[in-house]
Amino acid sequence: MLRDAGIVSDRREGLWIHYRINPELPAWAREILNTASRANATAKPFAQDRKRLRGAPTRPPIRCCA
């Protein structure tokens, strides 16, 4: 849904699909996403999800700011 709405773009690498925020989003939309991200950074279940993802043995290395 996010890809169809133009909020994220994706690329496939083997079995993995990598998503990123669409670089063509207007500044106001990026600010909304940044505010939501900051507001939920330590909230359950989001913080738990980040911790589990970091420990996933088959996860490709992080190449950006994720």
Side-chain angles (χ1 to χ4, degrees), residues 27-65:
W28 64 265
R30 285 184 162 278
E31 184 57 33
I32 289 171
L33 294 174
N34 287 331
T35 300
S37 177
R38 285 190 304 272
N40 290 301
T42 59
K44 291 182 184 177
F46 307 110
Q48 293 169 333
D49 290 343
R50 282 190 186 96
K51 186 176 180 180
R52 281 197 305 267
L53 279 171
R54 282 192 295 267
T58 60
R59 185 173 187 220
I62 295 174
R63 296 185 196 141
C64 74
C65 54

Side-chain angles (χ1 to χ4, degrees), residues 14-27:
L15 297 176
W16 289 89
I17 299 176
H18 300 269
Y19 295 94
R20 69 178 184 149
I21 302 297
N22 185 341
E24 296 179 18
L25 278 180

